[in-house]
Amino acid sequence: SLYNLASLELRENLLTYLPESLAQLQRLEELDLGNNELYHLPETIGALFNLKDLWLDGNQLAEIPQEVGNLKNLLCLDVSENKLECLPEEISGLTSLTDLLVSQNLLQVLPDGIGKLRRLSILKVDQNKLIQLTDSIGDCESLTELVLTENQLQSLPKSIGKLKKLNNLNADRNKLTSLPKEIGGCCSLNVFSVRDNRLSRIPSEISQATELHVLDVAGNRLTYLPLSLTTLKLKALWLSDNQSQPLLTFQTDTDPETGEKILTCVLLPQMPSEPGCQDNLPRCGALESLVNEMSDETWNERAVNRVSAIRFLEDEKDEEDNEMRTLLRRATPHPGELKNMKKTVENLRNDMNAAKGLDSNKNEVNNAIDRVTTSV
């Protein structure tokens, strides 16, 4: 009977169901039912035509009634932290929607109707079970933030290049093996993060995203970077976890297989971590002399004082010198593996020093015995 009620907040209770009479609150604009024990939503929720914000996060919902598509004035829908396995196709009726939050559910796909949400600005689908992203995502022309972290995606649709207003794209911790060259069409992209995937290359068309300032490709299987990357005004480029500065010193090279001009550095090619690397003593042999000649302070100083800029050969003299040198690129161990290798070599050094100490003591004892014998 609260006909004039505009806002109803029931967050953090123990509600298990909603009364049918809720539909009579025709002037309701805000409904917060987050962090309850709701297993079901009544179909009559679609009668709240003036609703602008609906929070249903942190419940036990396995589905959303299709009548939710009647909420033409809804701006924000938060159904994160539930047990949703799918979203109704009727979600396409939410023509005013700007924020759709479906994080931490069980979604494998998004409905094609999502492409009709032309005002949608923020879409968060992280921590689900997405195996593909619908092609219709490219029709969400107002999208500025797309979060796909921690899913099962192996690829991104080509239509993603149609998102001209996209500013932030995060697809960390998926199973991406490639990126579409159309990604360069995201002309407003500022932050692009695909950390911890299975990428072996980055398309050269990425340089068409001229507003790109932060690129995170750490934890992949990259063998090189495209030369076109030098045209971007990057503020940070993350290649691996042991990187102490946001930018690295790069060197031009030629891919032996394709003859393509590429960029390489000390962290490329980048390989996945190898389990049990601390027991792999033969691989540590090359580092033994390095550790013997370098104190921990020097080791840390070099990491801190890395040059934080992308440098290229400019004058002819440098180019001639570069041609004289042969650049050998070998796989860079995973950061965790490097630490274990360093620790193993240090242990070897300590054991060697201890052994030398024992030999020295033994020699002193023998010399003393010889002196005593001689004097006698």
Side-chain angles (χ1 to χ4, degrees):
S1 301
L2 304 176
Y3 302 118
N4 293 316
L5 195 64
S7 179
L8 178 57
E9 299 183 11
L10 296 167
R11 177 172 291 272
E12 295 183 14
N13 282 284
L14 301 173
L15 298 176
T16 57
Y17 70 96
L18 297 176
E20 298 285 336
S21 60
L22 190 70
Q24 298 177 29
L25 304 180
Q26 291 295 300
R27 297 189 180 182
L28 198 63
E29 296 183 359
E30 297 179 350
L31 178 57
D32 189 349
L33 298 166
N35 292 337
N36 278 281
E37 296 293 330
L38 296 175
Y39 287 83
H40 177 73
L41 284 182
E43 297 174 355
T44 52
I45 198 167
L48 301 175
F49 300 116
N50 287 309
L51 204 59
K52 294 182 179 179
D53 298 297
L54 177 57
W55 292 282
L56 296 165
D57 54 298
N59 280 283
Q60 304 293 325
L61 299 173
E63 62 179 3
I64 296 176
Q66 62 186 29
E67 286 76 11
V68 77
N70 296 330
L71 305 178
K72 305 297 183 183
N73 293 308
L74 196 65
L75 300 176
C76 175
L77 175 59
D78 187 348
V79 289
S80 55
E81 298 181 53
N82 278 280
K83 298 182 179 179
L84 300 175
E85 296 184 4
C86 64
L87 294 176
E89 189 68 36
E90 288 76 10
I91 200 172
S92 61
L94 304 178
T95 51
S96 298
L97 200 66
T98 61
D99 294 46
L100 178 56
L101 313 177
V102 290
S103 307
Q104 298 184 49
N105 278 283
L106 305 172
L107 301 175
Q108 290 189 339
V109 294
L110 293 176
D112 293 337
I114 203 168
K116 295 182 179 180
L117 305 182
R118 300 301 175 88
R119 297 184 182 180
L120 190 63
S121 176
I122 297 176
L123 175 58
K124 295 186 178 182
V125 206
D126 52 296
Q127 298 183 58
N128 276 273
K129 296 185 177 182
L130 286 184
I131 55 176
Q132 67 177 26
L133 188 61
T134 174
D135 287 336
S136 66
I137 193 70
D139 295 326
C140 298
E141 55 190 28
S142 299
L143 207 58
T144 61
E145 182 175 353
L146 178 57
V147 181
L148 302 167
T149 310
E150 293 186 41
N151 280 285
Q152 306 294 320
L153 296 172
Q154 296 184 25
S155 63
L156 296 177
K158 296 179 180 179
S159 63
I160 204 163
K162 296 164 61 178
L163 302 176
K164 304 301 182 183
K165 296 182 180 180
L166 191 62
N167 181 267
N168 182 5
L169 175 54
N170 191 319
D172 293 347
R173 295 183 290 284
N174 276 273
K175 297 182 178 180
L176 296 175
T177 57
S178 64
L179 294 174
K181 62 181 182 181
E182 288 78 7
I183 194 72
C186 300
C187 53
S188 298
L189 194 60
N190 189 265
V191 177
F192 183 33
S193 184
V194 283
R195 175 181 287 260
D196 295 332
N197 279 279
R198 302 175 180 180
L199 299 173
S200 59
R201 65 182 296 271
I202 301 295
S204 59
E205 289 79 5
I206 191 71
S207 62
Q208 297 172 12
T210 55
E211 296 299 315
L212 189 61
H213 295 310
V214 178
L215 177 60
D216 189 344
V217 291
N220 281 278
R221 302 174 181 180
L222 301 176
T223 54
Y224 58 79
L225 293 175
L227 187 63
S228 62
L229 210 63
T230 60
T231 63
L232 295 173
K233 297 179 181 179
L234 290 177
K235 296 179 180 177
L237 172 60
W238 299 108
L239 285 173
S240 188
D241 293 335
N242 65 347
Q243 189 176 325
S244 64
Q245 297 292 330
L247 290 178
L248 294 166
T249 301
F250 283 97
Q251 198 164 357
T252 55
D253 195 10
T254 302
D255 183 10
E257 295 183 4
T258 65
E260 179 185 3
K261 285 289 185 180
I262 58 174
L263 290 180
T264 186
C265 69
V266 67
L267 296 178
L268 295 173
Q270 195 173 328
M271 303 297 289
S273 174
E274 296 182 8
C277 59
Q278 58 264 48
D279 299 325
N280 199 0
L281 297 183
R283 295 193 62 183
C284 301
L287 288 181
E288 184 172 352
S289 60
L290 177 66
V291 176
N292 283 331
E293 296 171 2
M294 185 183 295
S295 65
D296 288 340
E297 291 77 10
T298 309
W299 184 289
N300 293 331
E301 262 180 34
R302 288 196 179 182
V304 172
N305 293 327
R306 285 180 183 161
V307 179
S308 59
I310 300 181
R311 294 187 310 179
F312 301 95
L313 300 175
E314 295 177 354
D315 50 58
E316 296 180 358
K317 182 179 179 181
D318 286 342
E319 290 182 0
E320 293 174 359
D321 292 341
N322 187 54
E323 291 176 359
M324 298 288 290
R325 294 194 296 268
T326 302
L327 178 63
L328 297 178
R329 296 192 297 116
R330 296 179 179 175
T332 301
H334 188 273
E337 189 177 350
L338 276 173
K339 292 178 182 177
N340 288 326
M341 290 168 67
K342 177 175 180 286
K343 185 176 181 181
T344 301
V345 173
E346 288 178 337
N347 290 337
L348 285 172
R349 182 181 62 185
N350 292 336
D351 291 343
M352 291 170 61
N353 290 338
K356 289 178 182 178
L358 289 175
D359 290 341
S360 176
N361 292 335
K362 183 177 179 181
N363 290 335
E364 289 182 4
V365 171
N366 289 337
N367 291 337
I369 292 174
D370 289 341
R371 287 196 298 273
V372 171
T373 304
T374 302
S375 60
V376 171

